[in-house]
Amino acid sequence: MERKVVEGPVRSREKSKQKLLNAVGKILKTKGFTALKVNDIATTAGLDKKLIYNYFGGVDQLIDEYIRSQDFWSNITLENAADMPDDGGREFMRLMLLSQFDYVAKNKELQKILLWGLYESRKSLKRVADDREIAGEVLLKHISDPFFGEKALHFRALMAIIVSGIYYLDMFTAVNGKTFCGIDLTQAAGRTEIKKALESLVTMIYETQQPVKKKRTAPKKTVARP
Amino acid sequence: MERKVVEGPVRSREKSKQKLLNAVGKILKTKGFTALKVNDIATTAGLDKKLIYNYFGGVDQLIDEYIRSQDFWSNITLENAADMPDDGGREFMRLMLLSQFDYVAKNKELQKILLWGLYESRKSLKRVADDREIAGEVLLKHISDPFFGEKALHFRALMAIIVSGIYYLDMFTAVNGKTFCGIDLTQAAGRTEIKKALESLVTMIYETQQPVKKKRTAPKKTVARP
DNA sequence: AAAATAACTCACCAAATGGTGACTATAAAA
DNA sequence: TTTTATAGTCACCATTTGGTGAGTTATTTT
């Protein structure tokens, strides 16, 4: 019986690099960023630590390459923007906040990265934050800014609070957290309550924070929802 | 010239314990929780590390005692509740959120503790979180719950998002952070924008989220305090 | 098949870290 | 003053961590 037909040679620089990068991810997810030590990474990858120095120059560079290789904000997109109703992004923001709340909750890796970014100043981590800004800017600039006009900045501040609240609550729940303001975030009921609050916030904002002096242009009522 | 009149004996168990506890605080504030190592703590305190084992049993117990010794939520109180208008806590919540935003921004120690609590499951850290819940519960239960009635839980969820957003934004700013949703949090203008957003949120919530079917009943104005 | 190249391992070192037993210095009690 | 209890120091060890030179094994080239 033939084996390893598709495997290729046992020794491959690229495969080993990948193993090391994967090891970083695994350790990050399971033990957190403080556990990212040379010895541990090497043994997790099943390789000698010397290779980390040979291939990446050191642990720091390996880690940076790992972080750069990940795309954490692929979920923030304008993909189906065409389907969206012309409501100043109201429906879009609603869906985005709700999905972000679940997305971060599920994505342990992103949680660790966010946390790490709050702990340490690191170029690659800064870039993750910058990428979020870039992804968000696309939405804000083209969707909400035009709609909110002179109140565009105000809307952004509101979103800043809400989005960062989502991040914190998800991270909080993943560790020590149980209740926040009496809401049990480990229970489905609690999470539903937060989601209702998010929806409520979007409604409030879009219904009371339009720019003054401008009659609200009646948005097309074509709401398609999954 | 006499010296050290008020100092007391050179060797004092209690004073040394305090020095060690202070060293923990100092390192935590300056280098973060990952830098809390025996050797470092001892040299920072100017004492031998053996004392950490003698007096506390180990670094972990020392750290726990340090955390327990701090009161991080003294700012959440009902101190001047009597002066407060009878508005279902609207003015109170407004002031609380604004002050919390500045308080956390200034309190590096609290930031580190909050961050630590997102990183590690530790009894003493859990207690800090629980203490926040307890302090908050006093306000929620007696002020907002009666006012919002059947929407009390909804109000709590809204507050959970806002308060945790405040925490995240303050921590974010302290490290990698510059802009969030395009708001530059390192600038006074950006911070003002967030504050305006916080005020706006309170207004929106109190003006659009009252319980339905119930005419706002004027709550009794007798707020007794310990 | 032999030579050359690249992938990889291993033994080893230095520094940092956690932890302890045996000692010394000080303060209080006798 | 001497004794005694205890506060504090110091030398020392074990383990972990970061890092590297020299050698070994696999793959490719000739």
Side-chain angles (χ1 to χ4, degrees), chain A residues 113-147:
Chain A
I113 291 284
L114 287 174
L115 194 60
W116 200 353
L118 295 180
Y119 181 79
E120 191 174 9
S121 189
R122 208 181 235 264
K123 245 196 185 162
S124 49
L125 290 170
K126 176 98 168 75
R127 231 201 56 173
V128 174
D130 290 345
D131 287 350
R132 181 188 39 69
E133 280 296 280
I134 292 168
E137 190 62 27
V138 176
L139 312 183
L140 294 166
K141 189 162 196 169
H142 297 111
I143 301 188
S144 64
D145 281 4
F147 181 79

Side-chain angles (χ1 to χ4, degrees), chain A residues 34 118-119 133 154 175 179 181-182, chain B residues 34 118-119 133 175 179 181-182:
Chain A
T34 58
L118 295 180
Y119 181 79
E133 280 296 280
H154 186 64
V175 189
T179 66
C181 290
Chain B
T34 59
L118 296 180
Y119 181 79
E133 281 294 282
V175 188
T179 66
C181 290

Side-chain angles (χ1 to χ4, degrees), chain A residues 70-97:
Chain A
Q70 304 297 110
D71 180 14
F72 294 107
W73 309 115
S74 54
N75 61 323
I76 309 180
T77 48
L78 265 177
E79 273 194 24
N80 36 15
D83 311 340
M84 281 296 156
D86 178 20
D87 58 358
R90 176 168 165 172
E91 181 61 9
F92 185 88
M93 294 295 170
R94 190 181 77 87
L95 291 174
M96 195 267 282
L97 292 176

